[in-house]
Amino acid sequence: MTTYIKYYKTAGITFSVKSDIPITEDTFHPKFKLFEVDAPGDDNVTINHHFYVPKKLLNCLNPNKSKKVFTNEFLSVHKTNNMWIYNQKASTRFNIKYNAIVIFNDEHTKGDVYTNDLNETSYSEEHIGSLVLFGGDHYLLANILSYRQGFLLHANGLAFNDRGILLIGKSGAGKTTLSNMLRQSGFSLVADDRVVLQKIESKYYLIGSWCHGSNVAVTNKKVLLEKIFFLKKSQKNKIITETSTHERLKQFSSSIVRPFGDQEKWKNILNNMEKIVKHHFFYSIYFNLSKNICTVLKENL
């Protein structure tokens, strides 16, 4: 049987997508073009697409065969001794188009996607937004990064003169508003609402990926991290150094896209968090809706 392959790369990781049927230029969303490469790299993840669902796979979802660790309206996640099983159900409410079952090894470096909802014709023109078909690739990327001194964050990444900044804030804190003002003032986007933060050798970098929030705004940029800002709405515009390690940890941890994982995986994540909060690039940024904060921020870079 012929195997069809495409390669996509972000954060130094090459994702090899292998399919039983042809992968065309329109199989995946156009955003993936930014990340397409010609061959595997030094660090690889393999995802196999299959267009059937074997009965023995359904048996793995039996409570006697696996432990359910998460469930919502469209996704249930199960764990056995050596694999993770994601069972996705199509949902109009959440814009989930396919029923699919995905199996990954413990470190999420090898996965098999099974679905009956796509055939050769639909697969060739679907513009699929996720390499694993279920909900988004943030589950996958968050898992993989936990072993590679990295995080996937609910945050916005921007750059000015090749210096990266990270904007962290709760929903409604003004990430989108401030990001738009900064982009109008000369900043460029690195990632919108899903940004990779990774330690490479002794430095931290902001890295774009195909994961994103509600708006499809992605880049393949990689910039050195200069400062991390916790957003605070205020009548005045000012930036202050965040000296409290407790506050750094609290704010930063709230932005992490949490992977499904065992004790060892969370040990890695906590260890990575403890390392980053010791650095001196954490600040609180107080801002109103005027663009004066853009000038203040530029003066602090």
Side-chain angles (χ1 to χ4, degrees), residues 22-275:
I23 303 173
T24 73
E25 292 299 308
D26 294 317
T27 292
F28 295 110
H29 191 282
K31 66 183 179 180
F32 285 101
K33 277 294 181 185
L34 288 173
F35 306 93
E36 190 169 349
V37 293
D38 295 328
D42 296 326
D43 189 0
N44 297 283
V45 172
T46 301
I47 304 169
N48 301 295
H49 286 187
H50 310 287
F51 302 91
Y52 63 95
V53 179
K55 290 183 178 179
K56 66 178 181 179
L57 183 56
L58 297 174
N59 292 334
C60 294
L61 303 175
N62 188 305
N64 295 324
K65 300 289 186 179
S66 62
K67 178 183 178 182
K68 185 184 289 186
V69 298
F70 174 83
T71 185
N72 64 16
E73 183 175 324
F74 62 87
L75 180 67
S76 62
V77 182
H78 305 252
K79 179 70 170 70
T80 69
N81 289 335
N82 58 5
M83 65 182 182
W84 290 86
I85 308 167
Y86 297 80
N87 182 24
Q88 174 181 276
K89 295 181 180 180
S91 169
T92 302
R93 179 184 175 189
F94 293 97
N95 195 31
I96 306 298
K97 295 183 177 181
Y98 324 105
N99 293 290
I101 297 178
V102 187
I103 295 181
F104 274 105
N105 64 348
D106 197 43
E107 294 186 355
H108 285 67
T109 55
K110 186 179 186 301
D112 287 277
V113 181
Y114 297 88
T115 182
N116 287 322
D117 289 355
L118 289 166
N119 56 33
E120 184 166 346
T121 300
S122 58
Y123 188 69
S124 69
E125 58 189 24
E126 192 67 8
H127 286 177
I128 301 168
S130 165
L131 298 184
V132 294
L133 303 187
F134 64 91
D137 292 339
H138 51 276
Y139 296 113
L140 172 60
L141 195 54
N143 263 288
I144 293 169
L145 288 168
S146 68
Y147 294 101
R148 292 160 175 78
Q149 299 191 82
F151 307 91
L152 184 63
L153 303 175
H154 286 293
N156 285 5
L158 297 103
F160 184 73
N161 292 338
D162 294 324
R163 289 173 289 179
I165 65 168
L166 193 61
L167 304 182
I168 293 176
K170 296 179 180 179
S171 178
K175 290 194 298 294
T176 299
T177 300
L178 181 55
S179 294
N180 288 339
M181 289 194 297
L182 291 172
R183 291 174 70 181
Q184 293 170 8
S185 299
F187 284 74
S188 61
L189 180 71
V190 177
D192 180 66
D193 202 38
R194 300 288 193 280
V195 58
V196 174
L197 174 61
Q198 188 175 29
K199 186 177 183 181
I200 302 173
E201 295 179 347
S202 61
K203 297 179 180 180
Y204 285 92
Y205 292 85
L206 298 181
I207 302 171
S209 76
W210 50 84
C211 298
H212 53 83
S214 57
N215 296 317
V216 184
V218 301
T219 80
N220 59 358
K221 294 179 181 177
K222 173 184 172 183
V223 296
L224 186 66
L225 175 65
E226 185 82 12
K227 293 184 177 181
I228 296 175
F229 295 99
F230 301 133
L231 274 59
K232 316 278 187 180
K233 287 185 177 180
S234 174
Q235 296 300 313
K236 296 182 179 180
N237 294 302
K238 63 179 180 179
I239 295 173
I240 63 173
T241 302
E242 185 53 70
T243 58
S244 168
T245 301
H246 173 76
E247 188 65 17
R248 292 178 181 180
L249 187 60
K250 176 184 174 183
Q251 297 275 3
F252 184 79
S253 63
S254 69
S255 72
I256 294 175
V257 177
R258 287 165 170 74
F260 300 108
D262 52 20
Q263 185 175 0
E264 184 64 28
K265 188 172 297 179
W266 276 102
K267 182 179 178 181
N268 289 340
I269 293 171
L270 292 171
N271 184 49
N272 292 336
M273 281 197 293
E274 288 177 358
K275 289 179 181 179

